[in-house]
Amino acid sequence: MVRALPSTRTDQQIVSGLRSGADWARAALYDRHAGAVVVVLRRLLPTDPDSEIADLLHETFAQAYASVHGLKDAVALLAWLQVIASRVAFRAIRGRKLRRWLKFWEPDALPEVHSEGVDPVVREAYERAVQHLVELPADERFVFVLRFVEGWELERIAEASDVSLATVKRRIQRASERFAARARADEALRPWLEGGGRWPT
């Protein structure tokens, strides 16, 4: 969908340009960081078509352009964008009918994954894991993905979620327990879970 393009401008220069209203700065921000933003959106919304991800990408950058004066540290530009993107994705999740997030996918609706050279058993485990993630309650899936897929720190997740650190910890705990229970009951995932993340040989 989107590829990040190189820029001769630093993030600090881009932020200064945005604050002064320079058109080049908007283009430079998008070119440099759109790819990373799409990764966050896609991992939080794995079943969405590209057209909807594109709409959320547009919304993320529109919010960034409008709020750049509130950015405290230009060095943290990408992290700031990722927080905005996660909030946009979370609102999208919460704003949709519950039935969309609980239904099973048809095989052709699964997110594409590069499969050349990938063991079919591993591919099946991946697809089943994503399906179980989609079935988690929205609040829990949000923090689970940011913590265990994106590797975010708890404080950053709390900022993106706009809740306390204690609430984030509780949600992660509940999500982990739900996901582990589903994985233990799934023949495609049980060996992976019991192997501590490695497929038994």
Side-chain angles (χ1 to χ4, degrees):
M1 286 178 54
V2 177
R3 294 182 180 178
L5 300 177
S7 173
T8 58
R9 311 276 187 167
T10 66
D11 279 356
Q12 290 88 339
Q13 290 172 326
I14 291 173
V15 171
S16 295
L18 289 170
R19 288 172 173 165
S20 65
D23 289 338
W24 67 262
R26 292 190 173 203
L29 179 68
Y30 184 91
D31 288 346
R32 172 168 293 175
H33 294 305
V37 170
V38 167
V39 169
V40 172
L41 293 171
R42 175 55 69 197
R43 286 177 175 167
L44 288 168
L45 300 160
T47 62
D48 274 32
D50 286 350
S51 59
E52 292 188 21
I53 294 295
D55 288 342
L56 297 176
L57 178 67
H58 173 80
E59 175 64 20
T60 297
F61 277 89
Q63 290 189 23
Y65 299 147
S67 59
V68 68
H69 290 282
L71 175 61
K72 297 179 181 179
D73 184 1
V75 174
L77 179 58
L78 176 56
W80 175 72
L81 278 171
Q82 290 172 325
V83 168
I84 294 175
S86 66
R87 289 175 173 171
V88 168
F90 187 52
R91 283 195 296 272
I93 294 170
R94 293 297 299 272
R96 293 168 184 173
K97 293 182 179 180
L98 183 61
R99 63 178 174 79
R100 176 172 181 181
W101 300 102
L102 295 180
K103 71 178 182 179
F104 287 102
W105 301 342
E106 295 297 331
D108 60 358
L110 288 167
E112 290 294 327
V113 60
H114 182 65
S115 59
E116 183 178 351
V118 176
D119 189 321
V121 174
V122 175
R123 178 183 172 85
E124 181 183 5
Y126 161 81
E127 292 174 348
R128 296 295 298 172
V130 172
Q131 180 174 327
H132 291 311
L133 283 175
V134 170
E135 293 170 1
L136 291 176
D139 292 352
E140 296 175 17
R141 174 157 62 94
F142 181 72
V143 298
F144 187 93
V145 171
L146 291 181
R147 180 61 172 167
F148 297 116
V149 179
E150 291 298 305
W152 287 20
E153 296 297 328
L154 295 176
E155 292 79 5
R156 190 177 174 198
I157 299 173
E159 178 188 359
S161 306
D162 198 24
V163 297
S164 69
L165 187 60
T167 297
V168 166
K169 290 179 179 179
R170 286 195 298 270
R171 289 178 179 176
I172 289 175
Q173 179 65 27
R174 289 197 300 266
S176 299
E177 291 172 354
R178 290 182 199 270
F179 184 81
R182 292 175 181 273
R184 283 193 293 268
D186 191 318
E187 292 184 0
L189 292 178
R190 189 185 307 113
W192 185 272
L193 187 68
E194 292 174 350
R198 296 182 179 179
W199 200 264
T201 57

